[in-house]
Amino acid sequence: MLDLATTKVHDEARQGEQFAPFTNDPNIYGKRFYIESYGCQMNFADSEVVAAILNKEGFGATRNVEEADLIFVNTCSIREKAEQTVRKRLTDFKRLKNEKPGTLIGVLGCMAERLKSKFLEEEKLVDIVVGPDAYRSLPRLVNEASDGQKSVNVLLSREETYADIAPVRLNSNGVSAFVSIMRGCNNMCSFCVVPFTRGRERSRDAASIIGECRDLFEQGYKEVTLLGQNVDSYHYISNDGTEADAVSFASLLEQVARISPELRVRFSTSHPKDITDDVLHTMAAYENICKCIHLPVQSGSTRVLQLMNRTYTREWYMKKVDRIREILPECSITTDIIAGFCTETNEDHQDTLSIMDYSNYVYGYMFYYSERPGTLAQRRYQDDIPLEVKKKRLQEIIEKQNQLSLNDYKKDVGQTYKVLIDGDSKRSSEQWVGRTSQNKVVIFPKQDNATHKKGDYVQVTINDCTQATLFGSIA
Ligand code: SAM
Ligand code: SF4
C-alpha cells in the first residue's frame, strides 16, 4: 500500500523506516538484524546494500527490534534536527541493550562519518561505527564487536561504488526501485556537509548499472530511479578505457531507457549547472524517461547563491528553466529551497518567492538553514538570521509552494494521463494509487471485472485534485 510519491529525494514519511524482511525468503537464519534508515534516498539505497552483506553472513532481517541481535541506524547529518532524532533513537536502543546484553548496536552513514569514534569514546552509545564507504568491512566489525572490542571503520574511498553487490530491496512494492549510479560529491556548496561525509564523487561501472536495471525489469519492476547527489556529472571510464570511451549521463540514461519501453526511468538529483541539453534531448526522445526534473534552486538571490557557492546566478537558473520548458513542455520541475541562509535580507527572500513563481515548481523540499560543523559556511559566515525570521520565511515559502502546486494540479483536471499502478490506495483496497510521468500521485477506483494489477499502465482521466493528489477514473 503506497499513497506516496516514492521517488522523492528526502521523503519525510520514510524517515525511520525499518527494513522489512523480504517475502518468500527460503533461508533460515540463526541471527537477526534490524535497520532503521534516515535521510535521503541514497541512504535508503545503502541500507539495501548493507542488508545484502548481512544476509550473506547469515543474518536475516527483522522489523521487531526486540528480537534483533544486531541493531543498525543508517544516519543523516544534513540538518541538526536529523542528528537529534538519531541520538534519541540510539538512546532508546541503548536502554534495550541494557535489558538484553549481547545485542550489538551500530551506527552507519553520514553521522558515523562525521562523528567517527566520538560515538564510542564520548557518547558510549554504540558498539560499531561504519562510514558510507566501509560497508564491506561490516562482517569483520561485527565479529570484533561480538568479541567485546569497539569497532570503527570510517575510511572514505575514491573507488568504492558497491557495483558488484546486488541490493536486497527494502520495503519494495515490487514496482519501483532505486539504483545508485554514483557516490560522493565534489561540489562544495557552502551549507552542505555531504562532501565531508560521503567523500569524493565517483561513478559506478555503467555495465553494472544497466545489468541491475535489466534484472529488476526481468523480476517485474516497472520503474527505476537512478540516484546520485549530482547525476548529471556521471562520467564513467572503465579501467582499460580512454576518455573517448567515457559514458556520460545522457548516454547512460539512453541505455537504461532502451532496456524496454515498459520500464520507466527517473533520476535524481540534477545540479542546475550540470544538466545538459543532451540530457534534455534524450528525455524528449524516450517516452519512458519520465518528464520530471528535480532541480534544486536553494535561493532566488544571486548574492545568496554566490555565498552558497552554487556557481549559478538567478538569471542563469531561469534560463535553464526556459530551456527545459522549450525542449520538454510537459516536464514538471521540483526543487529544494533553504530559507534564512547567512546574511539573507528580506529582498533576497522576495527573490526566492519570485523565482518560485517563475519556475512554477510542482513540488518543493523546503528547509530553514541549519549550520553544520566543518562546512564552508560555518567557517566563513555568521549564522545571523534569527530562528523566528528563518521560520517565518520558510512558512511563506511553504505557502507559496502550496499555492503553486494547487494551481498546477488544477490544470490537470479534464486531462488524461498514463499512470503506472503502484498498488492499493491507503484509504481503500477498492482504489488504486499510481503516478504519472510527472510523478504526480493519482487515486482512482478499480474497475469491476477488470484484470488490472499493480505494475500495469492505465490511462486515467482526472476529475478532481488537492494540492498533492489527483483523483480520476480509468479512461
Ligand atoms: N545534491 C543535492 C543538490 O545539490 O541539490 C541535494 C543534497 S542534500 C541531501 C538535500 C537538500 O538538503 C539540499 O538540496 C538542501 O536544500 C538541503 N540542505 C543541505 N544542507 C542544508 C543545511 N545546512 N541546512 C538546511 N538545508 C540543507
Ligand atoms: Fe551538497 Fe551541493 Fe553536493 Fe548537493 S551538490 S550534495 S547540496 S555539496
Side-chain angles (χ1 to χ4, degrees):
M1 291 211 297
L2 200 91
D3 252 13
L4 287 161
T6 48
T7 47
K8 286 173 179 166
V9 188
H10 187 118
D11 196 331
E12 286 307 328
R14 290 195 76 186
Q15 300 306 300
E17 189 172 88
Q18 305 116 353
F19 181 81
F22 61 113
T23 42
N24 306 326
D25 184 351
N27 299 313
I28 297 167
Y29 298 102
K31 290 178 265 173
R32 294 274 159 196
F33 74 92
Y34 169 96
I35 185 165
E36 226 175 73
S37 309
Y38 293 85
C40 63
Q41 289 303 350
M42 293 292 293
N43 251 11
F44 287 80
D46 278 2
S47 290
E48 299 183 335
V49 167
V50 169
I53 293 169
L54 292 174
N55 265 179
K56 226 171 141 206
E57 289 301 301
F59 284 90
T62 176
R63 260 184 156 168
N64 176 5
V65 67
E66 280 161 21
E67 72 168 11
D69 305 282
L70 206 51
I71 301 174
F72 281 125
V73 187
N74 197 349
T75 60
C76 171
S77 283
I78 203 87
R79 282 168 292 276
E80 198 184 345
K81 189 162 161 266
E83 290 201 350
Q84 282 165 356
T85 311
V86 166
R87 276 215 169 77
K88 188 181 164 303
R89 287 305 280 157
L90 289 173
T91 315
D92 295 343
F93 295 145
K94 180 93 192 273
R95 217 170 296 131
L96 214 126
K97 183 181 161 96
N98 290 341
E99 284 159 26
K100 194 180 150 199
T103 311
L104 296 177
I105 303 177
V107 58
L108 313 176
C110 289
M111 221 174 141
E113 192 62 52
R114 199 177 81 71
L115 295 169
K116 303 187 169 56
S117 52
K118 257 194 187 169
F119 265 121
L120 303 175
E121 290 151 13
E122 290 170 24
E123 311 203 12
K124 297 195 169 44
L125 281 174
V126 299
D127 307 288
I128 306 170
V129 180
V130 194
D133 286 347
Y135 296 143
R136 281 182 207 270
S137 63
L138 267 168
R140 175 178 58 79
L141 296 173
V142 170
N143 274 337
E144 283 173 11
S146 305
D147 292 343
Q149 297 172 48
K150 300 285 182 193
S151 307
V152 190
N153 187 350
V154 286
L155 287 177
L156 286 172
S157 154
R158 281 180 178 258
E159 284 95 35
E160 181 62 272
T161 59
Y162 302 110
D164 57 319
I165 296 181
V168 171
R169 298 292 157 190
L170 190 153
N171 292 355
S172 170
N173 61 352
V175 177
S176 316
F178 294 94
V179 176
S180 255
I181 65 163
M182 59 206 294
R183 298 182 72 82
C185 182
N186 286 356
N187 276 332
M188 288 292 178
C189 301
S190 65
F191 51 79
C192 187
V193 78
V194 168
F196 305 96
T197 59
R198 292 195 154 256
R200 304 293 292 167
E201 180 183 288
R202 64 224 98 118
S203 296
R204 174 179 166 191
D205 181 341
S208 84
I209 298 170
I210 295 155
E212 187 176 330
C213 294
R214 186 171 291 117
D215 284 351
L216 285 164
F217 182 66
E218 281 163 9
Q219 288 164 35
Y221 284 82
K222 292 292 179 61
E223 182 178 84
V224 288
T225 302
L226 308 180
L227 284 183
Q229 294 297 352
N230 183 11
V231 287
D232 298 278
S233 70
Y234 178 87
H235 186 84
Y236 177 73
I237 309 177
S238 62
N239 285 341
D240 48 1
T242 63
E243 190 59 43
D245 312 309
V247 182
S248 67
F249 181 60
S251 147
L252 179 76
L253 197 55
E254 176 160 37
Q255 293 182 64
V256 177
R258 280 191 173 174
I259 291 173
S260 165
E262 289 286 294
L263 180 69
R264 273 188 173 178
V265 189
R266 299 186 183 277
F267 56 89
S268 189
T269 296
S270 291
H271 193 298
K273 77 174 165 55
D274 290 316
I275 188 164
T276 58
D277 275 8
D278 260 5
V279 169
L280 301 181
H281 287 302
T282 307
M283 289 177 76
Y286 291 87
E287 187 272 339
N288 59 325
I289 304 182
C290 291
K291 304 302 178 274
C292 178
I293 299 178
H294 188 62
L295 196 72
V297 66
Q298 313 296 1
S299 166
S301 151
T302 296
R303 192 187 67 83
V304 173
L305 286 168
Q306 269 167 359
L307 292 179
M308 288 177 162
N309 199 23
R310 287 292 285 184
T311 72
Y312 51 84
T313 61
R314 170 186 176 84
E315 291 69 29
W316 196 93
Y317 183 94
M318 286 156 91
K319 283 211 178 96
K320 193 54 87 177
V321 170
D322 294 345
R323 195 75 182 131
I324 294 172
R325 301 265 178 253
E326 205 179 309
I327 300 174
L328 299 162
E330 307 279 279
C331 192
S332 65
I333 304 179
T334 59
T335 201
D336 292 349
I337 297 177
I338 299 177
F341 187 64
C342 313
T343 78
E344 186 187 73
T345 62
N346 188 43
E347 202 185 333
D348 295 321
H349 171 58
Q350 295 304 322
D351 282 349
T352 298
L353 294 173
S354 68
I355 209 166
M356 292 174 72
D357 277 327
Y358 188 87
S359 312
N360 198 20
Y361 299 121
V362 165
Y363 190 87
Y365 291 91
M366 300 157 282
F367 318 97
Y368 64 75
Y369 175 58
S370 162
E371 185 178 80
R372 306 310 295 130
T375 55
L376 293 181
Q378 185 257 329
R379 283 182 275 147
R380 284 186 193 160
Y381 315 126
Q382 220 188 329
D383 180 13
D384 57 352
I385 308 301
L387 185 60
E388 61 275 21
V389 176
K390 286 182 183 174
K391 284 187 172 169
K392 181 171 166 286
R393 289 181 186 164
L394 176 62
Q395 192 50 38
E396 286 172 20
I397 289 169
I398 292 171
E399 279 162 21
K400 163 75 69 191
Q401 186 53 53
N402 288 347
Q403 198 53 53
L404 288 173
S405 301
L406 182 62
N407 292 347
D408 189 79
Y409 277 50
K410 274 185 182 163
K411 286 191 206 137
D412 293 333
V413 174
Q415 307 288 326
T416 299
Y417 292 102
K418 182 175 170 184
V419 171
L420 173 62
I421 301 179
D422 282 322
D424 285 353
S425 127
K426 234 184 209 166
R427 270 172 244 137
S428 159
S429 59
E430 287 168 17
Q431 290 179 324
W432 290 122
V433 62
R435 276 165 300 120
T436 64
S437 173
Q438 289 73 18
N439 211 21
K440 292 180 182 169
V441 174
V442 189
I443 293 179
F444 51 100
K446 295 182 179 177
Q447 281 180 330
D448 291 341
N449 308 320
T451 54
H452 298 134
K453 53 186 185 317
K454 72 174 180 177
D456 283 352
Y457 292 102
V458 279
Q459 293 290 333
V460 178
T461 303
I462 308 303
N463 50 40
D464 200 3
C465 72
T466 64
Q467 70 187 37
T469 314
L470 298 172
F471 299 93
S473 52
I474 295 176

